[in-house]
């Protein structure tokens, strides 16, 4: 959009921390917990970018590691915050990551629903309608597990009338929160379909005279795409790694791929039915989701057939981690049986070891989640302090 219109973009957090400025394009992840409504009422319309769920899960993990959030064991401040007495095992981090990704699959669908339905408030995991108070409880506790955020714990069972985010009914986005266009980041990066996706973005800008009058001539749209995406002569992105950098390729277990497929199927079924089936944005969304579903199903078939072999550092999921602990315990028992006669007393010790291992894994996951929640609150507290300081400076 910057290149097509000649106007700059700005991240939602930059608006929150640095204040308002003339940056017409706002990159936002709100209402996902990595996002923040930082632009006040400066927005006019929404363009929804729908990424491939599998890629977004892997990139989310990569960003967490790149930012040391919250997996930088070597950082003394982090270790103090986590209250570790010893260096945590990397296996514990993998278990936390995998348990988190399963929840993020639901956040993915919840995020799409929020914008497609114009800010309608729903529960993350059940997708049931929720009240504004329930919504605020979810928004303030994103790093709690789905068990701790269970719909039943926050709902008294009464029927909830459709309620919308105050931002969406309060004219904070002039033309409402429902998107005027749905675009594909994956198609944009594709050498075959990238130019067509660029044209779709440009056509979304043209109806607004403030953008359309400044938009580059249509003849140059393809050139813009080639320079930015193919030749990578633009700002650094997740896909513009330096020369020599090799992206780590992750596999996903059957459990995790199934979770992704369930969410894509739910969204596809919903937006392919009345009244959505008459909306161009919904039709476009379904087209993209069906493409993603096909890719996921092919990968799931490869996992089931053994064509893809899972490695230690892959996205394994809670069920495989539990099976891994149980297999390890069986091997340990077999080894001891070779060395000594196993009596009832030792048998009791086996059970205790297995139970302790499961409990320790659960404690690690909870501590990582609690630390993520702590940083979430700390970041937002920092915004409130920044805003208060700016207000005081203006009034001085």
């Amino acid at each position: 959009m910057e290149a097509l219109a000649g106007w700059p973009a700005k991240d939602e957090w930059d608006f929150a921390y640095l204040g308002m400025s003339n940056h017409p394009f706002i990159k936002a992840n709100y209402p996902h917990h990595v996002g923040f409504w930082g632009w006040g009422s400066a927005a006019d319309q929404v363009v929804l970018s729908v990424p491939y769920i599998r890629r977004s899960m892997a990139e989310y993990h990569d960003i967490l590691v790149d930012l040391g959030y919250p997996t930088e064991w070597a950082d003394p401040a982090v270790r103090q915050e986590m209250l570790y007495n010893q260096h945590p095992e990397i296996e514990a981090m993998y278990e936390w990551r995998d348990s988190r990704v399963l929840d993020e699959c639901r956040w993915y669908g919840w995020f799409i629903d929020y914008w497609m339905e114009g800010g309608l408030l729903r529960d993350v995991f059940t997708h049931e309608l929720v009240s504004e108070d329930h919504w605020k409880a979810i928004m303030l506790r994103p790093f709690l597990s789905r068990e701790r955020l269970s719909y039943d714990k926050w709902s008294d069972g009464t029927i909830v009338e459709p309620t919308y985010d105050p931002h969406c009914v309060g004219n904070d986005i002039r033309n409402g929160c429902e998107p005027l266009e749905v675009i594909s980041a994956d198609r944009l990066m594709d050498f075959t379909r990238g130019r067509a996706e660029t044209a779709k973005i440009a056509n979304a800008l043209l109806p607004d005279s403030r953008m359309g009058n400044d938009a580059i001539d249509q003849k140059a749209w393809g050139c813009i795409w080639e320079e930015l995406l193919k030749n990578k002569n633009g700002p650094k992105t997740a896909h513009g790694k330096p020369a020599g950098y090799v992206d780590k390729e992750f596999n996903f277990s059957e459990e995790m791929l199934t979770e992704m497929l369930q969410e894509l199927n739910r969204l596809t079924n919903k937006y392919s039915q009345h009244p959505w089936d008459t909306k161009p944005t919904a039709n476009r969304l379904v087209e993209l989701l069906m493409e993603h579903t096909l890719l996921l199903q092919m990968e799931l078939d490869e996992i089931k057939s053994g064509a893809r072999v899972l490695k230690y550092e892959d996205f394994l999921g809670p069920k495989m981690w539990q099976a891994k602990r149980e297999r390890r315990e069986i091997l340990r028992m077999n080894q001891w049986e070779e060395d000594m006669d196993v009596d009832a007393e030792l048998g009791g010790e086996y059970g205790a070891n297995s139970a302790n291992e499961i409990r320790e894994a659960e404690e690690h996951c909870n501590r990582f989640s609690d630390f993520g929640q702590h940083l979430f609150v700390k970041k937002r507290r920092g915004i409130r302090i920044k805003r208060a300081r700016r207000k005081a400076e203006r009034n001085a």
Side-chain angles (χ1 to χ4, degrees):
M1 287 185 178
E2 284 183 313
L4 289 168
W7 287 95
K10 191 173 178 179
D11 187 270
E12 59 198 335
W13 287 100
D14 289 336
F15 281 104
Y17 273 107
L18 304 176
M20 303 303 293
S21 58
N22 187 22
H23 288 70
F25 302 122
I26 305 166
K27 183 177 76 69
N29 290 301
Y30 180 91
H32 188 274
H33 53 80
V34 299
F36 186 81
W37 193 294
W39 60 89
S41 57
D44 294 313
Q45 55 197 16
V46 175
V47 173
L48 178 63
S49 177
V50 178
Y52 179 27
I53 186 171
R54 184 202 191 281
R55 179 176 61 79
S56 64
M57 294 300 116
E59 284 184 2
Y60 175 72
H61 157 70
D62 287 344
I63 291 171
L64 289 182
V65 173
D66 288 345
L67 298 180
Y69 171 57
T71 56
E72 280 293 339
W73 321 127
D75 185 342
V78 171
R79 293 187 65 189
Q80 182 178 7
E81 296 263 23
M82 297 284 281
L83 301 178
Y84 279 124
N85 295 320
Q86 59 184 7
H87 197 287
E89 295 180 7
I90 193 68
E91 183 172 301
M93 189 277 283
Y94 285 145
E95 289 206 53
W96 170 81
R97 176 201 67 184
D98 290 0
S99 65
R100 185 68 213 170
V101 167
L102 278 178
D103 286 354
E104 287 297 333
C105 291
R106 299 298 182 93
W107 283 86
Y108 172 93
W110 174 82
F111 176 88
I112 290 175
D113 278 337
Y114 172 87
W115 290 109
M116 289 298 293
E117 296 182 308
L120 184 63
L121 306 185
R122 292 187 179 276
D123 180 65
V124 176
F125 301 110
T126 66
H127 309 294
E128 297 287 346
L129 296 176
V130 296
S131 65
E132 188 175 343
D133 288 342
H134 188 161
W135 163 268
K136 289 178 180 177
I138 295 171
M139 295 290 282
L140 292 174
R141 299 167 178 83
F143 278 88
L144 299 188
S145 67
R146 67 176 67 188
E147 290 76 22
R148 295 161 79 181
L149 279 177
S150 170
Y151 177 78
D152 294 335
K153 290 184 178 180
W154 298 93
S155 172
D156 58 6
T158 58
I159 297 176
V160 178
E161 294 297 322
T163 307
Y164 289 83
D165 188 337
H167 288 301
C168 296
V169 295
N171 209 33
D172 284 353
I173 296 182
R174 185 164 58 91
N175 294 324
C177 289
E178 191 173 336
L180 84 155
E181 186 58 273
V182 174
I183 62 171
S184 167
D186 300 275
R187 289 190 180 184
L188 186 64
M189 295 179 290
D190 185 271
F191 285 3
T192 303
R193 299 180 290 183
R195 288 178 175 82
E197 204 64 25
T198 299
K200 183 173 283 290
I201 295 171
N203 285 321
L205 300 177
L206 290 179
D208 190 319
S209 60
R210 294 167 299 174
M211 295 290 105
N213 292 340
D214 293 323
I216 195 169
D217 189 271
Q218 183 176 352
K219 295 177 181 178
W221 291 354
C223 180
I224 290 290
W225 172 84
E226 187 164 335
E227 283 300 305
L228 291 178
L229 278 301
K230 188 174 182 180
N231 299 334
K232 302 186 186 302
N233 291 325
K236 184 190 292 186
T237 68
H239 308 280
K241 303 292 196 311
Y245 183 93
V246 179
D247 271 318
K248 187 168 182 58
E249 185 65 31
F250 293 103
N251 289 317
F252 287 80
S253 70
E254 181 178 341
E255 176 186 11
M256 306 192 90
L257 292 172
T258 300
E259 184 82 12
M260 294 181 204
L261 279 168
Q262 287 175 348
E263 193 61 18
L264 293 190
N265 287 333
R266 181 191 70 83
L267 291 167
T268 301
N269 291 336
K270 175 177 180 175
Y271 292 105
S272 60
Q273 296 180 24
H274 184 76
W276 293 102
D277 57 352
T278 60
K279 291 193 173 188
T281 50
N283 293 335
R284 167 69 165 174
L285 174 63
V286 169
E287 176 190 339
L288 298 177
L289 294 176
M290 290 179 69
E291 183 177 296
H292 299 167
T293 299
L294 178 62
L295 294 172
L296 278 179
Q297 188 61 57
M298 291 171 59
E299 182 173 351
L300 179 59
D301 292 342
E302 291 177 359
I303 291 292
K304 287 182 175 180
S305 68
R308 283 184 184 243
V309 180
L310 297 174
K311 303 184 295 296
Y312 171 77
E313 63 269 21
D314 285 334
F315 288 79
L316 302 181
K319 290 181 181 177
M320 288 203 70
W321 279 107
Q322 172 116 6
K324 180 182 175 69
R325 286 193 295 268
E326 291 172 354
R327 285 196 301 271
R328 189 163 54 216
E329 188 63 22
I330 291 172
L331 290 174
R332 183 186 301 153
M333 290 173 67
N334 291 340
Q335 181 63 49
W336 284 355
E337 286 177 351
E338 291 176 6
D339 295 341
M340 65 186 71
D341 292 327
V342 181
D343 58 18
E345 195 173 310
L346 275 178
E349 187 175 326
Y350 293 146
N353 286 338
S354 181
N356 287 337
E357 201 167 308
I358 293 172
R359 185 170 62 253
E360 287 172 5
E362 291 174 347
E363 287 175 355
H364 272 302
C365 287
N366 286 336
R367 292 176 91 175
F368 290 136
S369 295
D370 289 343
F371 182 63
Q373 179 68 31
H374 169 70
L375 291 185
F376 171 87
V377 173
K378 189 175 181 180
K379 193 173 185 180
R380 280 154 176 76
R381 187 183 300 124
I383 288 177
R384 290 197 296 272
I385 293 172
K386 279 276 189 180
R387 285 177 167 175
R389 287 174 179 170
R390 287 200 301 268
K391 184 177 181 180
E393 290 170 358
R394 288 195 301 267
N395 296 334

